[in-house]
């Protein structure tokens, strides 16, 4: 675990210069991975929540939180029970905190400008079986991540003045009309009205969304939709 933490150049990750303290990120993660009791886990959590990946007193989250999320999930899986609770709590807090305007997006495998909360949620989802086994805290984190849904377009078809987009949905897109960010070809644009036409069934992730006022040519396969409200979250 220490090697994975040390492999990250925390000082190279951007963050508000008056709030983000890269040394706290590295020290806090190492301390949390090595914690063997509640006092040690709490001290490590204070480092991480006091400028390492969050600034808890002001509910601010830094891009480092998206990098730290898989490491925290590993600590939750392999570490002391006290360290597990702190790790899960930090991830959940990061999902609900607010980034500073100029540091609110991170690069992922599917876009270069993903809101921090959505990037974290997408790393939580593959660990759902593990998190369920951890009881209430794990299930709470799954529910928090589900609010930051992601839809990947597989194909589209014109439907009157709208487009029916078929693809896979991760997370929970509520019924009704929603604004969404379209991430395609290295750009981000706004879709003012997205409606879940056919939700996933029988454990499948397949779904269909209706995109108002858009032509299929604007929606290439592999493009990703994310909640617009997540992109608007700023401290």
């Amino acid at each position: 675990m220490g090697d994975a933490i040390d492999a990250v150049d925390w000082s190279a990750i951007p963050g508000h210069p008056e709030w983000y303290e890269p040394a706290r990120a590295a020290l806090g993660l190492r301390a949390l991975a090595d914690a063997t009791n509640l006092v040690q886990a709490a001290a490590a959590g204070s480092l991480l929540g006091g400028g390492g990946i969050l600034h808890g007193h002001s509910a601010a989250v830094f891009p480092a939180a998206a990098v730290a999320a898989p490491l925290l999930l590993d600590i939750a899986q392999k570490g002391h029970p006290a360290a597990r609770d702190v790790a899960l709590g930090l991830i959940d807090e990061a999902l609900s905190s607010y980034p500073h305007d100029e540091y609110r997006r991170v690069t992922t495998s599917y876009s270069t400008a993903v809101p921090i909360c959505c990037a974290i949620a997408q790393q939580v989802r593959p660990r759902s079986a593990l998190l369920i086994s951890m009881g209430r805290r794990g299930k709470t984190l799954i529910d928090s991540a589900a609010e930051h849904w992601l839809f990947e377009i597989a194909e589209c078809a014109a439907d009157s003045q709208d487009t029916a987009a078929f693809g896979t949905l991760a997370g929970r897109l509520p019924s009704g009309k929603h604004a969404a960010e379209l991430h395609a070809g290295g750009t981000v644009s706004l879709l003012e009205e997205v409606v879940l036409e056919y939700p996933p069934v029988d454990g499948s992730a397949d779904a269909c969304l209706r995109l108002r006022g858009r032509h299929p040519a604007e929606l290439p396969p592999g493009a990703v939709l994310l909640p617009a409200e997540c992109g608007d979250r700023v401290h």
Side-chain angles (χ1 to χ4, degrees):
M1 177 66 69
D3 290 343
I5 296 168
D6 293 340
V8 177
D9 184 355
W10 298 96
S11 63
I13 299 172
H16 195 292
E18 296 179 10
W19 296 57
Y20 173 50
E21 299 181 53
R24 282 179 171 259
L27 288 172
L29 285 166
R30 283 194 221 101
L32 191 59
D34 294 339
T36 58
N37 56 55
L38 181 59
V39 173
Q40 292 174 351
S46 293
L47 286 169
L48 292 165
I53 64 173
L54 299 159
H55 191 271
H57 291 304
S58 55
V61 62
F62 311 131
V67 180
L71 298 170
L72 288 169
L73 288 164
D74 287 342
I75 291 171
Q77 180 178 4
K78 303 171 185 176
H80 188 275
R84 176 197 63 209
D85 291 344
V86 170
L88 296 182
L90 285 166
I91 297 171
D92 206 7
E93 187 176 355
L95 284 171
S96 61
S97 295
Y98 294 82
H100 296 96
D101 188 22
E102 62 271 42
Y103 304 107
R104 56 179 162 154
R105 297 181 182 270
V106 296
T107 297
T108 69
S109 61
Y110 48 92
S111 176
T112 59
V114 175
I116 294 172
C117 54
C118 292
I120 293 172
Q122 195 63 2
Q123 296 181 86
V124 168
R125 281 189 265 272
R127 312 280 190 118
S128 291
L130 170 67
L131 291 169
I132 289 172
S133 73
M134 294 179 179
R136 181 182 59 82
R137 280 185 177 271
K139 293 174 183 176
T140 296
L141 183 54
I142 292 172
D143 287 342
S144 297
E147 298 176 8
H148 307 270
W149 55 269
L150 179 150
F151 182 79
E152 182 174 354
I153 296 173
E155 59 180 301
C156 294
D159 187 358
S160 185
Q161 300 299 313
D162 305 329
T163 288
F166 302 90
T168 54
L169 177 64
R172 183 174 56 249
L173 174 57
S175 60
K177 302 173 183 178
H178 304 274
E181 290 185 353
L182 171 66
H183 293 246
T187 64
V188 180
S189 58
L190 179 66
L191 302 179
E192 294 185 356
E193 191 172 314
V194 171
V195 176
L196 180 60
E197 193 90 335
Y198 299 110
V201 295
D202 299 329
S204 170
D206 294 340
C208 175
L209 272 58
R210 178 177 292 274
L211 313 180
R212 304 289 189 188
R214 288 288 185 140
H215 189 273
E218 302 175 78
L219 306 159
V224 166
L225 274 62
L226 299 170
E229 61 186 305
C230 291
D232 291 337
R233 292 171 62 89
V234 291
H235 192 274

